[in-house]
Amino acid sequence: MSKISTILGVIAVCAMTATAQAQVNLSAETSAPTGAPGTTILTLAEVAAADGIANIQVTTGQTLTNAVQNLAEGKIDISAAPFVLPFLMSKGAGPYAKLGDQGAELADNIAVLYTYRYAAFAVFAYESGDFNGWDNIAGKTIYNGPPRGAALNRARATIKLATGLDEGEGYKGVQVNWGQAVKTITDGSADANIIPLNFPDARLSQAAAAGNLRVWSFPKDKFEGEATQKYMKAPGSVAVQMPITPGMFGEGITVVSEDDTFRAPGEVGGDIVNKSMDFELAKALTKAFLDNIEVFQNKTPFMKNVYLGETDPSLTSMCGAMPIKYHPGAVAAWEEAGYTIPDCAKP
């Protein structure tokens, strides 16, 4: 075979490989398209298709408790995951209590491509109402998320840490699915609300069209206390502490704090795959994320504030009691891009 024929043969093989790779069809589930999990997976589908890696069919509006289990059981290829969920699954606890010992086996099937901060949890209400902050929760009706899932558990835990109150005893909880969230905030179903918030926040901005809102920073003494500090070091948790700036949540929304700092327990997670995913495919998906971080950040204003591209365990929750690790292919992509992945987060 001539040198030219050999070169043409290599080019043909490369082209066939690229074509085959582009024909990979993957399925993904995520939450509402307006939040960090929805935005991230939808953007991954966009860049993966543009780079000829895979066609990702994304189903939005899913309860992530179910999506994570579907991923662990091999029913889908990619899922958004608040990291508290794999932890609870590994213990057969919380929403996965019925799994028992099988939960640990399923959690062992999960691997991470990359991480991001989902949100911070804070209580908020309309200025025109009679709600006056954390000390006013007792006896009130509080909208705290969907009927089942990590957000509801976080909201309940945040109120417990700030006030010592439990739902059903100290206050009444209202739950509706994310698609009805803004309507529930605006129609007076609750005296106040505590749901995942971003900087700025799309739901709050929509709700603020019906009147000015106030968001209360977590009480400083409770934030610095032992119980909250321990909670914010648990799997899937992070401490959110940042200077208050005009319009940080959006127009018509003010922040109430003892000082010039906003504090809140936050939630972190990431996009996960089954650890049986092919090494090269996981590497290519992660590389597409890293190569296009600015694309992800520019999708919405809040995406610049969700810790994209971070590997520090204090911001990712990827070490300690966290039962899941990065996919080997993801580790290769991160390290080839010049990042350092902590040994405690490697498989």
Side-chain angles (χ1 to χ4, degrees):
M1 183 181 291
S2 69
K3 184 175 181 180
I4 293 177
S5 297
T6 301
I7 293 173
L8 292 175
V10 171
I11 292 173
V13 170
C14 290
M16 290 172 62
T17 300
T19 301
Q21 188 179 46
Q23 291 175 345
V24 173
N25 293 315
L26 303 176
S27 58
E29 292 184 357
T30 188
S31 53
T34 53
T39 301
T40 304
I41 281 194
L42 287 169
T43 306
L44 177 67
E46 176 186 316
V47 298
D51 291 351
I53 299 167
N55 300 312
I56 305 175
Q57 303 296 318
V58 182
T59 303
T60 61
Q62 301 304 293
T63 299
L64 295 183
T65 303
N66 300 331
V68 169
Q69 184 169 341
N70 289 339
L71 183 286
E73 292 174 344
K75 297 176 180 177
I76 59 173
D77 301 296
I78 306 170
S79 175
F83 285 159
V84 66
L85 292 180
F87 173 75
L88 292 173
M89 180 182 285
S90 72
K91 302 296 182 183
Y96 303 112
K98 291 183 179 179
L99 293 176
D101 293 340
Q102 185 188 6
E105 298 175 11
L106 287 175
D108 190 52
N109 293 335
I110 297 172
V112 178
L113 297 181
Y114 47 80
T115 67
Y116 44 89
R117 187 183 70 205
Y118 273 53
F121 283 77
V123 69
F124 63 94
Y126 283 104
E127 289 183 359
S128 58
D130 62 354
F131 185 81
N132 296 305
W134 296 101
D135 293 338
N136 199 214
I137 286 179
K140 298 293 188 181
T141 298
I142 309 295
Y143 167 48
N144 52 7
R148 179 173 181 261
L152 176 61
N153 292 330
R154 291 276 180 194
R156 287 170 171 165
T158 301
I159 290 178
K160 178 73 172 180
L161 289 166
T163 69
L165 299 174
D166 291 307
E167 181 180 325
E169 298 177 4
Y171 64 96
K172 178 183 177 181
V174 172
Q175 291 91 43
V176 300
N177 290 322
W178 289 129
Q180 297 298 312
V182 175
K183 179 180 182 297
T184 303
I185 295 167
T186 58
D187 69 9
S189 297
D191 299 300
N193 317 272
I194 178 168
I195 59 174
L197 302 178
N198 283 298
F199 309 96
D201 189 84
R203 291 192 189 98
L204 258 65
S205 294
Q206 292 178 56
N212 291 339
L213 289 161
R214 287 183 291 186
V215 179
W216 280 266
S217 176
F218 197 87
K220 182 179 179 183
D221 60 336
K222 299 292 179 62
F223 187 85
E224 295 175 347
E226 182 179 352
T228 305
Q229 288 294 313
K230 182 178 180 180
Y231 177 81
M232 293 186 299
K233 291 181 174 65
S237 298
V238 66
V240 178
Q241 189 166 239
M242 55 199 301
I244 296 172
T245 56
M248 66 186 299
F249 286 106
E251 295 299 321
I253 305 164
T254 58
V255 179
V256 182
S257 176
E258 298 103 312
D259 52 22
D260 58 358
T261 300
F262 174 78
R263 300 173 181 84
E267 182 168 37
V268 288
D271 288 348
I272 60 173
V273 298
N274 196 290
K275 72 178 185 182
S276 64
M277 177 177 278
D278 177 74
F279 176 95
E280 293 298 336
L281 179 56
K283 181 180 178 182
L285 290 171
T286 307
K287 185 177 186 299
F289 164 76
L290 293 170
D291 288 348
N292 292 280
I293 281 183
E294 289 189 358
V295 175
F296 284 75
Q297 291 175 330
N298 290 331
K299 284 298 178 181
T300 71
F302 68 77
M303 286 296 288
K304 293 180 174 65
N305 301 308
V306 299
Y307 303 162
L308 293 180
E310 292 288 351
T311 60
D312 183 341
S314 69
L315 299 177
T316 66
S317 193
M318 279 298 293
C319 291
M322 174 57 61
I324 60 176
K325 310 293 183 183
Y326 288 100
H327 191 286
V331 172
W334 280 97
E335 292 184 339
E336 286 185 13
Y339 294 84
T340 299
I341 299 295
D343 289 340
C344 57
K346 293 180 180 180

